[in-house]
């Protein structure tokens, strides 16, 4: 582990049980997709030697001895994108960035990516080179390299499956949030969804919104900075919406995540043309912003907020607090309510 996240030097005290400690996988939040994953794991997960692996249940599996972090993310045409909405290299950039974001979630430094693609014969000639150029550019933008992959024929839709490889000496898990902690979010939320909303209606998204949708930047630098200086107790990348992804921290940590509606950082691109509840809903429920949600002991960020924003060039905001209990709750002008449905649902509404 020559390039791990480094030792903590910040305000956080001793690690809590489950926070970065080896052991069994974390619990997942609600949703049909995650019900299916729970079934797979229940049927097939063998006992592993204690301390050998982290996962499944976090954003990456981590081989503890080597610090190697691994994750995979698939991108399917007409499920995750439409070719009319993106250039070929943007298709590749998005697919790679979505996968690389899971390295940010556990504070792993990227080594590289392996990419399996399926194209129709015509697309293989016309699109595959620029799709792969996009994959390579996104990977190199965060310090990784293209390690290899596979190319096969598709009967129609483009499929891009990206496996990311990173390294971390001390992965940050979803299971280390504790009552009393603060919940923080990097950047702003809802911009990608605003572009998707416009594109779905046949409108032209604003340039700022389109950039968030077409060229998301995984928060690798930010994650490594936080791991070094603040040492969050828990962290996740926001791929399916803050409400849903905070729900995974809640489930894994056995706590309630209480979000304050007024504090949720709504992307200006999402706020344009939307009244208060709709903009907040978009920021909470829509995915693919690839920002980070993390928890810290109260006050840990107080002396570091300005430095983070100056060095990283993006905002970071406290959006709520961790309490005893379960689930995700939203406190707004109309009171407090539990958010029963999480973020984006790949297989319909949560049961
Ligand atoms: Mg993730």
């Amino acid at each position: 582990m020559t390039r791990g996240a480094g030792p903590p030097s910040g305000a956080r005290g001793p690690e809590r049980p489950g926070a970065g400690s080896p052991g069994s996988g974390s619990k997942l939040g609600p949703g049909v997709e995650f019900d299916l994953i729970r079934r797979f794991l229940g049927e097939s997960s063998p006992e592993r030697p204690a301390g050998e692996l982290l996962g499944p249940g976090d954003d990456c599996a981590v081989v503890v001895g080597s610090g190697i972090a691994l994750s995979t993310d698939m991108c399917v045409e007409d499920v995750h994108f439409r070719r009319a909405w993106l250039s070929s290299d943007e298709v590749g950039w998005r697919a790679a960035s979505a996968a690389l974001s899971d390295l940010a979630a556990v504070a792993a430094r990227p080594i590289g990516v392996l990419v399996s693609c399926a194209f129709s014969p015509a697309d293989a000639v016309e699109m595959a080179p620029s799709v792969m150029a996009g994959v390579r550019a996104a990977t190199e933008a965060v310090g990784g390299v293209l390690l290899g992959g596979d190319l096969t024929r598709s009967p129609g839709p483009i499929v891009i499956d990206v496996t990311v490889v990173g390294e971390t000496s001390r992965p940050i898990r979803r299971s280390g949030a504790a009552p009393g902690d603060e919940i923080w979010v990097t950047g702003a939320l809802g911009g990608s969804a605003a572009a998707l909303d416009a594109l779905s209606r046949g409108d032209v998204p604003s340039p700022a919104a389109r950039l968030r949708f077409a060229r998301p930047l995984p928060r690798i630098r930010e994650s490594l900075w936080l791991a070094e200086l603040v040492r969050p107790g828990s962290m996740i990348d926001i791929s399916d919406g803050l409400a849903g992804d905070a729900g995974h921290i809640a489930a894994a940590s056995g706590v309630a995540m209480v979000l304050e509606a007024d504090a949720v950082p709504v992307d200006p691109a999402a706020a344009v043309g939307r009244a208060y509840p709709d903009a907040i809903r978009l920021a909470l429920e829509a995915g693919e912003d690839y920002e980070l949600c993390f928890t810290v002991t109260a006050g840990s960020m107080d002396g570091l907020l300005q430095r983070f924003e100056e060095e990283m060039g993006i905002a970071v905001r406290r959006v709520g607090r961790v309490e005893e209990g379960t689930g995700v709750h939203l406190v707004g002008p109309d009171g407090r309510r539990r958010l029963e449905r999480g973020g984006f649902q790949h297989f319909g509404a949560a049961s």
Side-chain angles (χ1 to χ4, degrees):
M1 289 172 286
T2 56
R3 291 187 293 149
S9 57
R12 194 171 188 85
E15 302 250 342
R16 297 191 178 103
S21 60
S24 59
S26 295
K27 293 179 179 175
L28 296 165
V32 176
E33 175 188 0
F34 306 107
D35 290 340
L36 286 169
I37 293 171
R38 271 184 283 271
R39 277 182 54 191
F40 301 155
L41 297 177
E43 289 166 357
S44 63
S45 184
E47 288 294 316
R48 295 181 301 272
E52 186 177 290
L53 290 171
L54 300 186
D58 277 284
D59 290 276
C60 289
V62 179
V63 185
V64 173
S66 65
I68 296 294
L70 299 160
S71 183
T72 187
D73 199 82
M74 188 183 292
C75 191
V76 179
E77 183 178 6
D78 294 332
V79 176
H80 298 92
F81 70 95
R82 294 186 191 168
R83 66 177 69 192
W85 296 347
L86 296 167
S87 66
S88 298
D89 70 308
E90 287 169 344
V91 169
W93 178 287
R94 282 188 91 243
S97 289
L100 289 159
S101 182
D102 281 326
L103 292 178
V106 302
R109 191 180 301 277
I111 295 172
V113 298
L114 297 156
V115 188
S116 291
C117 297
F119 293 92
S120 70
D123 289 339
V125 173
E126 294 174 12
M127 294 182 66
S130 51
V131 168
M132 288 309 299
V135 167
R136 186 187 293 261
T139 304
E140 291 176 353
V142 293
V145 297
L146 181 60
L147 296 167
D150 185 33
L151 177 63
T152 190
R153 188 171 67 181
S154 163
I158 298 169
V159 179
I160 308 167
D161 188 38
V162 182
T163 297
V164 293
V165 184
E167 58 186 342
T168 173
S169 57
R170 298 180 67 198
I172 297 175
R173 305 188 67 187
R174 298 173 175 179
S175 53
D181 284 354
E182 297 170 346
I183 307 169
W184 287 72
V185 165
T186 62
L189 305 175
S192 179
L196 184 60
D197 186 42
L199 290 164
S200 300
R201 288 186 279 104
D203 292 342
V204 177
S206 71
R210 190 183 184 285
L211 194 65
R212 294 285 282 160
F213 174 72
R215 292 196 178 272
L217 289 168
R219 299 305 190 189
I220 300 285
R221 285 177 64 231
E222 293 79 1
S223 166
L224 297 177
W225 192 101
L226 291 166
E228 173 89 23
L229 295 177
V230 187
R231 193 64 198 171
S234 69
M235 190 154 64
I236 193 168
D237 67 314
I238 303 174
S239 56
D240 293 342
L242 175 60
D245 289 319
H248 293 310
I249 290 181
S253 298
V255 297
M257 299 284 277
V258 182
L259 306 173
E260 296 161 18
D262 288 344
V264 173
V266 179
D267 193 311
V272 172
R274 285 186 180 82
Y276 164 81
D278 289 339
I280 293 285
R281 190 177 305 122
L282 202 66
L284 283 172
E285 296 184 355
E288 300 185 329
D289 286 308
Y290 300 113
E291 297 292 350
L292 298 171
C293 173
F294 59 96
T295 61
V296 296
T297 50
S300 295
M301 291 289 290
D302 288 354
L304 292 166
L305 181 58
Q306 186 177 354
R307 181 175 163 192
F308 177 94
E309 296 191 344
E310 285 176 359
E311 293 184 9
M312 299 296 109
I314 62 169
V316 62
R317 292 286 178 270
R318 193 190 67 80
V319 298
R321 63 189 179 278
V322 181
E323 294 184 357
E324 291 187 6
T326 60
V328 181
H329 305 255
L330 184 68
V331 179
D334 50 352
R336 172 171 168 157
R337 65 189 171 94
R338 184 176 175 127
L339 300 176
E340 293 297 342
R341 186 181 181 280
F344 179 78
Q345 303 285 313
H346 289 275
F347 298 98
S351 56

